[in-house]
Amino acid sequence: MPEAADMINFGFLTESERELILQVLQRDEKLRQAEEQRVRKLKTELQDVKRKGAKRANERYSQYSCGRCLEPLSRLTVFSSQCKLCNHNVCRNCRTVLPDGSWLCNVCAKESSLRQHH
């Protein structure tokens, strides 16, 4: 894909105007690279969380253990511990609180964040 600078004739611009345009293009490239790096990091974190023993939806397991880290849940916690996306019971350590005060399990939160940026 050709660079934007290759497609535009900059001959009519002053040196300072060309410099400003170049700075904007360079800043845009840095932002794009930072976003790509952030998404790569998020994908890696998601793989790590999934690898650490997250239960699969089709596996049978005790409703009294966390669906992400497999730690036991108290019987009182079980009623308020279900992730609204995957329906796993999840301990407080395996939750991500959202800006509206609700929460998702860490896996669903990372997957949701990835979807928002694609």
Side-chain angles (χ1 to χ4, degrees), residues 6-80:
D6 295 339
M7 296 185 283
I8 300 171
N9 177 358
F10 287 112
F12 65 94
L13 297 174
T14 66
E15 185 63 37
S16 61
E17 288 172 328
R18 282 195 289 267
E19 188 59 36
L20 276 174
I21 290 172
L22 187 58
Q23 287 173 9
V24 169
L25 291 173
Q26 288 170 340
R27 192 166 49 241
D28 181 64
E29 179 64 16
K30 281 182 186 170
L31 288 172
R32 190 185 61 73
Q33 288 175 356
E35 179 63 9
E36 283 179 5
Q37 186 174 356
R38 191 191 68 77
V39 169
R40 273 195 306 274
K41 182 180 176 208
L42 205 52
K43 285 181 179 178
T44 301
E45 288 172 359
L46 181 59
Q47 285 176 333
D48 288 346
V49 171
K50 283 182 171 180
R51 219 183 347 256
K52 284 181 183 166
K55 294 172 182 169
R56 305 290 173 247
N58 60 351
E59 288 181 15
R60 292 189 53 154
Y61 59 91
S62 166
Q63 65 180 17
Y64 299 109
S65 65
C66 174
R68 295 299 166 208
C69 70
L70 308 182
E71 288 295 312
L73 297 171
S74 76
R75 294 184 188 277
L76 293 173
T77 313
V78 170
F79 295 109
S80 63

Coordinates of all heavy atoms in Angstrom, one line a residue, residues 6-80:
D6 N 3.2 9.6 -0.9 CA 3.5 9.2 -2.3 C 2.4 9.6 -3.2 O 2.6 9.7 -4.4 CB 3.7 7.7 -2.4 CG 5.0 7.2 -1.6 OD1 5.8 8.1 -1.4 OD2 5.0 6.0 -1.3
M7 N 1.2 9.7 -2.7 CA 0.0 10.0 -3.6 C -0.3 11.5 -3.7 O -1.1 11.8 -4.5 CB -1.2 9.3 -3.0 CG -1.0 7.8 -2.9 SD -2.5 6.9 -2.4 CE -2.4 7.2 -0.6
I8 N 0.4 12.3 -3.0 CA 0.1 13.8 -3.0 C 1.3 14.5 -3.5 O 2.4 14.2 -3.1 CB -0.3 14.3 -1.6 CG1 -1.5 13.5 -1.0 CG2 -0.5 15.8 -1.6 CD1 -1.8 13.8 0.4
N9 N 1.0 15.5 -4.4 CA 2.1 16.4 -4.8 C 2.3 17.5 -3.8 O 1.4 18.3 -3.6 CB 1.7 17.0 -6.2 CG 2.8 18.0 -6.7 OD1 3.8 18.2 -6.0 ND2 2.5 18.5 -7.9
F10 N 3.4 17.4 -3.1 CA 3.7 18.4 -2.1 C 4.5 19.6 -2.6 O 4.9 20.5 -1.8 CB 4.5 17.8 -0.9 CG 3.7 16.8 -0.1 CD1 4.0 15.5 -0.1 CD2 2.7 17.3 0.8 CE1 3.3 14.6 0.7 CE2 2.0 16.5 1.5 CZ 2.3 15.1 1.5
G11 N 4.7 19.7 -3.9 CA 5.5 20.8 -4.5 C 5.0 22.2 -4.2 O 5.8 23.1 -4.1
F12 N 3.7 22.3 -4.1 CA 3.1 23.7 -3.9 C 3.1 24.1 -2.4 O 2.8 25.3 -2.1 CB 1.7 23.8 -4.4 CG 0.7 22.9 -3.7 CD1 0.0 23.4 -2.7 CD2 0.6 21.6 -4.0 CE1 -0.9 22.6 -2.0 CE2 -0.3 20.8 -3.3 CZ -1.1 21.3 -2.3
L13 N 3.5 23.3 -1.5 CA 3.5 23.6 -0.1 C 4.8 24.2 0.3 O 5.9 23.9 -0.3 CB 3.3 22.3 0.7 CG 2.0 21.6 0.6 CD1 1.9 20.3 1.3 CD2 0.8 22.5 1.0
T14 N 4.8 25.1 1.3 CA 6.0 25.6 1.9 C 6.7 24.5 2.7 O 6.1 23.5 3.0 CB 5.7 26.8 2.8 OG1 5.0 26.3 4.0 CG2 4.9 27.9 2.1
E15 N 8.0 24.8 2.9 CA 8.8 23.8 3.7 C 8.1 23.5 5.1 O 8.1 22.4 5.5 CB 10.2 24.3 3.9 CG 11.2 23.3 4.6 CD 11.4 22.1 3.8 OE1 11.4 22.1 2.5 OE2 11.5 21.0 4.4
S16 N 7.7 24.6 5.8 CA 7.1 24.4 7.1 C 5.7 23.6 7.0 O 5.4 22.8 7.9 CB 6.8 25.8 7.8 OG 6.0 26.6 7.0
E17 N 5.0 23.8 5.9 CA 3.7 23.1 5.7 C 4.0 21.6 5.5 O 3.4 20.7 6.0 CB 2.9 23.6 4.6 CG 2.3 25.0 4.8 CD 1.7 25.6 3.6 OE1 2.2 25.4 2.5 OE2 0.7 26.3 3.8
R18 N 5.1 21.3 4.7 CA 5.5 19.9 4.5 C 5.9 19.3 5.8 O 5.6 18.1 6.0 CB 6.6 19.9 3.4 CG 6.1 20.0 2.0 CD 7.2 19.6 1.0 NE 8.3 20.5 0.9 CZ 8.4 21.5 0.0 NH1 7.5 21.7 -0.9 NH2 9.4 22.3 0.0
E19 N 6.7 20.0 6.6 CA 7.2 19.5 7.9 C 6.0 19.2 8.8 O 6.0 18.1 9.4 CB 8.1 20.5 8.5 CG 8.8 20.0 9.8 CD 9.7 18.8 9.5 OE1 10.3 18.7 8.4 OE2 9.7 18.0 10.4
L20 N 5.0 20.1 8.8 CA 3.8 19.8 9.7 C 3.1 18.6 9.2 O 2.7 17.7 10.0 CB 2.8 21.0 9.6 CG 3.1 22.2 10.5 CD1 2.2 23.3 10.2 CD2 3.0 21.7 12.0
I21 N 2.9 18.4 7.9 CA 2.2 17.2 7.4 C 3.0 16.0 7.7 O 2.4 14.9 8.2 CB 2.0 17.3 5.9 CG1 0.9 18.4 5.6 CG2 1.6 16.0 5.3 CD1 0.8 18.8 4.1
L22 N 4.3 16.0 7.6 CA 5.1 14.9 7.9 C 5.0 14.5 9.4 O 4.9 13.3 9.8 CB 6.6 15.2 7.6 CG 7.6 14.0 7.7 CD1 7.1 12.9 6.8 CD2 9.0 14.5 7.3
Q23 N 5.0 15.5 10.3 CA 4.8 15.3 11.7 C 3.5 14.6 12.0 O 3.4 13.7 12.8 CB 4.9 16.6 12.5 CG 6.3 17.2 12.6 CD 6.4 18.5 13.2 OE1 5.4 19.0 13.7 NE2 7.5 19.2 13.2
V24 N 2.4 15.0 11.4 CA 1.1 14.4 11.6 C 1.1 13.0 11.1 O 0.6 12.1 11.8 CB 0.0 15.2 10.8 CG1 -1.3 14.5 10.8 CG2 -0.2 16.6 11.5
L25 N 1.7 12.7 9.9 CA 1.8 11.3 9.4 C 2.6 10.5 10.4 O 2.2 9.3 10.6 CB 2.4 11.3 8.0 CG 1.5 11.9 6.9 CD1 2.3 12.0 5.6 CD2 0.2 11.1 6.7
Q26 N 3.7 11.0 10.9 CA 4.5 10.2 11.8 C 3.8 9.9 13.1 O 3.9 8.8 13.7 CB 5.9 10.9 12.1 CG 6.8 10.9 10.9 CD 8.0 11.9 11.1 OE1 8.0 12.8 11.9 NE2 9.0 11.6 10.3
R27 N 3.1 10.9 13.6 CA 2.3 10.8 14.9 C 1.2 9.7 14.6 O 1.0 8.9 15.5 CB 1.7 12.1 15.3 CG 1.2 12.1 16.7 CD 0.9 13.5 17.3 NE 0.1 14.3 16.4 CZ 0.6 15.5 15.9 NH1 1.8 15.9 16.2 NH2 -0.2 16.2 15.1
D28 N 0.6 9.8 13.5 CA -0.5 8.8 13.2 C 0.1 7.4 13.1 O -0.5 6.4 13.6 CB -1.1 9.2 11.8 CG -2.2 8.2 11.4 OD1 -3.2 8.1 12.2 OD2 -2.1 7.5 10.4
E29 N 1.3 7.2 12.5 CA 1.9 5.9 12.5 C 2.3 5.4 13.9 O 2.1 4.2 14.1 CB 3.2 6.0 11.6 CG 4.0 4.7 11.5 CD 3.2 3.6 10.8 OE1 2.2 3.9 10.1 OE2 3.6 2.5 10.9
K30 N 2.8 6.3 14.7 CA 3.1 5.9 16.1 C 1.8 5.4 16.8 O 1.8 4.4 17.6 CB 3.7 7.0 16.9 CG 5.2 7.2 16.5 CD 5.8 8.3 17.4 CE 7.2 8.6 17.0 NZ 7.7 9.8 17.6
L31 N 0.7 6.2 16.7 CA -0.5 5.8 17.3 C -1.0 4.4 16.8 O -1.5 3.6 17.5 CB -1.6 6.8 17.1 CG -1.4 8.2 17.8 CD1 -2.4 9.2 17.4 CD2 -1.6 7.9 19.3
R32 N -0.9 4.2 15.5 CA -1.3 2.9 14.9 C -0.5 1.8 15.4 O -1.1 0.7 15.8 CB -1.2 3.0 13.4 CG -1.9 1.8 12.6 CD -1.6 1.9 11.1 NE -0.2 1.9 10.8 CZ 0.6 0.8 10.9 NH1 0.1 -0.4 11.3 NH2 1.8 0.8 10.6
Q33 N 0.8 2.0 15.5 CA 1.7 0.9 16.1 C 1.4 0.7 17.5 O 1.4 -0.5 18.0 CB 3.1 1.3 15.9 CG 3.6 1.3 14.5 CD 5.0 1.8 14.3 OE1 5.7 2.3 15.2 NE2 5.6 1.7 13.1
A34 N 1.1 1.7 18.3 CA 0.8 1.6 19.7 C -0.5 0.8 19.9 O -0.6 -0.1 20.7 CB 0.6 2.9 20.4
E35 N -1.5 1.0 19.0 CA -2.8 0.3 19.1 C -2.6 -1.1 18.7 O -3.1 -2.0 19.3 CB -3.8 1.0 18.1 CG -5.2 0.3 18.1 CD -5.9 0.3 19.4 OE1 -5.5 1.0 20.4 OE2 -6.9 -0.4 19.5
E36 N -1.8 -1.4 17.7 CA -1.5 -2.8 17.3 C -0.8 -3.5 18.4 O -1.1 -4.7 18.7 CB -0.6 -2.8 16.0 CG -1.4 -2.6 14.8 CD -0.5 -2.6 13.5 OE1 0.8 -2.9 13.7 OE2 -1.0 -2.3 12.4
Q37 N 0.1 -2.9 19.1 CA 0.8 -3.5 20.2 C -0.1 -3.8 21.4 O -0.1 -4.8 22.0 CB 2.0 -2.6 20.7 CG 2.9 -3.2 21.7 CD 4.1 -2.3 22.1 OE1 4.3 -1.3 21.5 NE2 4.8 -2.7 23.0
R38 N -1.0 -2.8 21.6 CA -2.0 -3.0 22.7 C -2.9 -4.2 22.4 O -3.2 -5.0 23.3 CB -2.9 -1.7 22.9 CG -3.7 -1.7 24.1 CD -4.7 -0.6 24.1 NE -5.7 -0.8 23.0 CZ -6.7 -1.6 23.2 NH1 -6.9 -2.3 24.2 NH2 -7.6 -1.7 22.2
V39 N -3.4 -4.3 21.2 CA -4.2 -5.5 20.8 C -3.5 -6.8 20.9 O -4.0 -7.8 21.4 CB -4.8 -5.3 19.4 CG1 -5.5 -6.5 18.9 CG2 -5.8 -4.1 19.4
R40 N -2.2 -6.8 20.5 CA -1.4 -8.0 20.6 C -1.2 -8.4 22.1 O -1.4 -9.6 22.4 CB 0.0 -7.8 20.0 CG 0.1 -8.1 18.5 CD 1.6 -8.2 18.0 NE 2.4 -7.1 18.4 CZ 2.5 -6.0 17.6 NH1 1.8 -5.9 16.5 NH2 3.3 -5.0 18.0
K41 N -1.0 -7.4 22.9 CA -0.8 -7.7 24.4 C -2.1 -8.2 24.9 O -2.1 -9.2 25.7 CB -0.4 -6.4 25.1 CG -0.2 -6.6 26.6 CD 0.2 -5.3 27.2 CE 0.3 -5.5 28.7 NZ 0.1 -4.3 29.5
L42 N -3.3 -7.7 24.5 CA -4.6 -8.1 25.0 C -4.8 -9.6 24.6 O -5.3 -10.4 25.3 CB -5.6 -7.2 24.4 CG -7.0 -7.1 25.1 CD1 -6.8 -6.7 26.6 CD2 -7.8 -6.0 24.4
K43 N -4.5 -9.9 23.3 CA -4.6 -11.3 22.8 C -3.8 -12.2 23.6 O -4.2 -13.3 24.0 CB -4.3 -11.4 21.3 CG -5.4 -10.8 20.4 CD -5.0 -10.9 19.0 CE -6.1 -10.4 18.1 NZ -5.7 -10.4 16.7
T44 N -2.5 -11.8 23.9 CA -1.6 -12.7 24.7 C -2.2 -12.9 26.1 O -2.2 -14.0 26.6 CB -0.2 -12.1 24.8 OG1 0.3 -11.9 23.5 CG2 0.7 -12.9 25.6
E45 N -2.7 -11.8 26.8 CA -3.3 -11.9 28.1 C -4.5 -12.9 28.1 O -4.7 -13.7 29.0 CB -3.7 -10.6 28.6 CG -2.6 -9.7 29.0 CD -3.0 -8.2 29.3 OE1 -4.2 -7.9 29.2 OE2 -2.1 -7.4 29.6
L46 N -5.3 -12.7 27.0 CA -6.5 -13.6 26.9 C -6.1 -15.0 26.8 O -6.7 -15.9 27.4 CB -7.3 -13.1 25.7 CG -8.6 -13.9 25.4 CD1 -9.5 -13.8 26.6 CD2 -9.3 -13.3 24.1
Q47 N -5.1 -15.3 26.0 CA -4.6 -16.7 25.8 C -4.1 -17.2 27.2 O -4.4 -18.4 27.6 CB -3.5 -16.8 24.8 CG -4.0 -16.7 23.4 CD -2.8 -16.7 22.4 OE1 -1.7 -16.3 22.7 NE2 -3.1 -17.2 21.2
D48 N -3.4 -16.4 27.9 CA -2.8 -16.8 29.2 C -4.0 -17.1 30.2 O -3.9 -18.1 30.9 CB -2.0 -15.7 29.8 CG -0.6 -15.6 29.1 OD1 -0.3 -16.5 28.3 OD2 0.1 -14.6 29.3
V49 N -5.0 -16.3 30.2 CA -6.1 -16.5 31.1 C -6.8 -17.8 30.8 O -7.2 -18.6 31.6 CB -7.1 -15.3 31.1 CG1 -8.4 -15.6 31.9 CG2 -6.4 -14.0 31.7
K50 N -7.0 -18.0 29.5 CA -7.7 -19.2 29.1 C -6.9 -20.5 29.4 O -7.5 -21.5 29.7 CB -8.0 -19.2 27.5 CG -9.2 -18.3 27.2 CD -9.4 -18.3 25.7 CE -10.7 -17.6 25.3 NZ -10.9 -17.6 23.9
R51 N -5.6 -20.4 29.3 CA -4.7 -21.5 29.5 C -4.6 -21.9 31.0 O -4.3 -23.0 31.3 CB -3.3 -21.2 29.0 CG -2.6 -22.3 28.3 CD -1.2 -22.0 27.9 NE -0.8 -20.7 27.9 CZ -0.6 -19.9 26.8 NH1 -0.9 -20.4 25.6 NH2 -0.2 -18.7 26.9
K52 N -4.9 -20.9 31.8 CA -4.7 -21.2 33.3 C -5.8 -22.0 33.9 O -5.9 -22.1 35.1 CB -4.6 -19.9 34.0 CG -3.3 -19.2 33.9 CD -3.2 -17.9 34.6 CE -1.9 -17.2 34.4 NZ -1.9 -15.8 34.8
G53 N -6.6 -22.7 33.1 CA -7.6 -23.6 33.7 C -9.0 -23.2 33.6 O -9.8 -23.6 34.4
A54 N -9.3 -22.2 32.8 CA -10.7 -21.8 32.6 C -11.5 -23.0 32.2 O -11.1 -23.8 31.3 CB -10.8 -20.7 31.6
K55 N -12.7 -23.1 32.8 CA -13.6 -24.2 32.4 C -14.2 -24.0 31.0 O -14.4 -22.9 30.6 CB -14.7 -24.3 33.4 CG -14.2 -24.7 34.8 CD -15.2 -24.6 35.8 CE -14.7 -25.0 37.2 NZ -15.6 -24.6 38.2
R56 N -14.4 -25.0 30.3 CA -15.1 -24.9 29.0 C -16.6 -25.1 29.3 O -17.0 -25.7 30.2 CB -14.6 -26.1 28.1 CG -13.1 -26.1 27.9 CD -12.6 -25.0 27.1 NE -11.2 -25.0 27.1 CZ -10.4 -24.0 27.6 NH1 -11.0 -23.0 28.3 NH2 -9.1 -24.0 27.5
A57 N -17.3 -24.4 28.4 CA -18.8 -24.4 28.6 C -19.4 -25.8 28.6 O -20.4 -26.0 29.3 CB -19.4 -23.6 27.5
N58 N -18.8 -26.8 27.9 CA -19.4 -28.1 27.8 C -18.9 -29.0 28.9 O -19.3 -30.2 29.0 CB -19.2 -28.7 26.4 CG -17.7 -28.9 26.1 OD1 -16.8 -28.4 26.9 ND2 -17.4 -29.6 25.1
E59 N -18.0 -28.6 29.8 CA -17.5 -29.5 30.8 C -18.4 -29.3 32.1 O -18.9 -28.3 32.4 CB -16.1 -29.1 31.2 CG -15.0 -29.4 30.2 CD -13.6 -29.0 30.7 OE1 -13.4 -28.7 31.9 OE2 -12.7 -29.0 29.8
R60 N -18.5 -30.5 32.8 CA -19.3 -30.4 34.0 C -18.3 -30.1 35.1 O -17.2 -30.5 35.2 CB -19.9 -31.8 34.3 CG -20.9 -32.2 33.3 CD -21.6 -33.4 33.7 NE -22.1 -33.2 35.1 CZ -23.1 -33.9 35.7 NH1 -23.8 -34.8 35.0 NH2 -23.4 -33.7 36.9
Y61 N -18.8 -29.3 36.1 CA -17.9 -28.9 37.2 C -18.8 -28.4 38.3 O -20.0 -28.2 38.1 CB -16.9 -27.8 36.8 CG -17.6 -26.5 36.3 CD1 -17.9 -25.5 37.2 CD2 -17.9 -26.4 35.0 CE1 -18.6 -24.4 36.7 CE2 -18.6 -25.2 34.5 CZ -18.9 -24.2 35.4 OH -19.5 -23.1 34.9
S62 N -18.2 -28.3 39.5 CA -19.0 -27.9 40.6 C -19.4 -26.4 40.5 O -18.5 -25.6 40.1 CB -18.2 -28.1 41.9 OG -18.7 -27.3 43.0
Q63 N -20.6 -26.1 40.8 CA -21.0 -24.7 40.7 C -20.4 -23.9 41.9 O -20.5 -22.7 42.0 CB -22.5 -24.5 40.8 CG -23.1 -25.0 42.1 CD -24.6 -24.9 42.1 OE1 -25.3 -24.7 41.0 NE2 -25.2 -24.9 43.3
Y64 N -19.7 -24.6 42.8 CA -19.1 -23.9 43.9 C -17.6 -23.7 43.8 O -16.9 -23.5 44.7 CB -19.3 -24.8 45.2 CG -20.8 -24.9 45.5 CD1 -21.4 -26.2 45.3 CD2 -21.6 -23.8 45.9 CE1 -22.8 -26.3 45.6 CE2 -22.9 -24.0 46.1 CZ -23.5 -25.2 46.0 OH -24.9 -25.3 46.2
S65 N -17.1 -23.7 42.5 CA -15.7 -23.3 42.2 C -15.7 -22.3 41.1 O -16.6 -22.3 40.2 CB -14.9 -24.5 41.9 OG -15.3 -25.1 40.7
C66 N -14.7 -21.4 41.1 CA -14.6 -20.4 40.1 C -14.4 -21.0 38.8 O -13.5 -21.9 38.6 CB -13.4 -19.5 40.5 SG -13.1 -18.2 39.3
G67 N -15.1 -20.5 37.8 CA -15.0 -21.0 36.4 C -13.7 -20.5 35.7 O -13.5 -21.0 34.6
R68 N -12.9 -19.7 36.3 CA -11.7 -19.2 35.7 C -10.4 -19.8 36.4 O -9.6 -20.4 35.8 CB -11.6 -17.7 35.7 CG -12.7 -17.1 34.8 CD -12.6 -17.6 33.4 NE -13.8 -17.4 32.6 CZ -14.1 -18.1 31.5 NH1 -13.4 -19.1 31.2 NH2 -15.2 -17.8 30.9
C69 N -10.3 -19.6 37.8 CA -9.1 -20.1 38.5 C -9.4 -21.4 39.2 O -8.4 -22.0 39.8 CB -8.6 -19.0 39.4 SG -9.7 -18.7 40.9
L70 N -10.6 -21.8 39.2 CA -11.0 -23.1 39.9 C -10.9 -23.1 41.4 O -11.1 -24.1 42.0 CB -10.2 -24.3 39.3 CG -10.2 -24.4 37.8 CD1 -9.4 -25.6 37.3 CD2 -11.6 -24.4 37.2
E71 N -10.8 -21.9 42.0 CA -10.8 -21.8 43.5 C -12.2 -22.0 44.0 O -13.2 -21.6 43.3 CB -10.3 -20.4 43.9 CG -8.8 -20.2 43.7 CD -8.0 -21.1 44.6 OE1 -8.2 -21.2 45.8 OE2 -7.0 -21.8 44.1
P72 N -12.3 -22.6 45.2 CA -13.7 -22.8 45.7 C -14.4 -21.4 46.0 O -13.8 -20.5 46.3 CB -13.4 -23.5 47.1 CG -12.0 -23.9 47.1 CD -11.3 -23.1 46.1
L73 N -15.7 -21.4 45.8 CA -16.5 -20.3 46.1 C -17.4 -20.6 47.3 O -17.8 -21.8 47.5 CB -17.5 -20.0 44.9 CG -16.9 -19.6 43.6 CD1 -18.0 -19.5 42.5 CD2 -16.2 -18.3 43.7
S74 N -17.6 -19.6 48.1 CA -18.5 -19.9 49.3 C -19.9 -20.0 48.7 O -20.3 -19.5 47.7 CB -18.5 -18.7 50.2 OG -19.2 -17.6 49.7
R75 N -20.8 -20.8 49.4 CA -22.1 -21.0 49.0 C -22.9 -19.7 48.9 O -23.8 -19.6 48.1 CB -22.8 -22.0 49.9 CG -22.2 -23.4 49.8 CD -22.9 -24.5 50.6 NE -22.1 -25.7 50.6 CZ -22.1 -26.6 49.6 NH1 -22.9 -26.4 48.6 NH2 -21.4 -27.7 49.7
L76 N -22.6 -18.7 49.7 CA -23.3 -17.4 49.6 C -22.9 -16.7 48.3 O -23.7 -16.0 47.7 CB -23.0 -16.6 50.8 CG -23.5 -17.1 52.2 CD1 -23.0 -16.2 53.3 CD2 -25.0 -17.1 52.1
T77 N -21.7 -16.8 47.9 CA -21.1 -16.1 46.8 C -21.7 -16.6 45.5 O -21.9 -15.8 44.5 CB -19.6 -16.2 46.7 OG1 -19.0 -16.0 48.0 CG2 -19.0 -15.3 45.7
V78 N -22.1 -17.8 45.4 CA -22.5 -18.5 44.2 C -23.7 -17.7 43.6 O -23.8 -17.5 42.3 CB -22.9 -19.9 44.4 CG1 -23.6 -20.5 43.2 CG2 -21.6 -20.7 44.7
F79 N -24.6 -17.2 44.4 CA -25.8 -16.5 43.9 C -25.5 -15.2 43.1 O -26.3 -14.8 42.3 CB -26.8 -16.3 45.0 CG -27.3 -17.5 45.6 CD1 -26.9 -17.9 46.9 CD2 -28.2 -18.4 44.9 CE1 -27.4 -19.1 47.5 CE2 -28.7 -19.5 45.5 CZ -28.3 -19.9 46.7
S80 N -24.4 -14.6 43.5 CA -24.1 -13.3 42.9 C -22.8 -13.3 42.0 O -22.2 -12.3 41.8 CB -23.9 -12.2 43.9 OG -22.9 -12.5 44.8

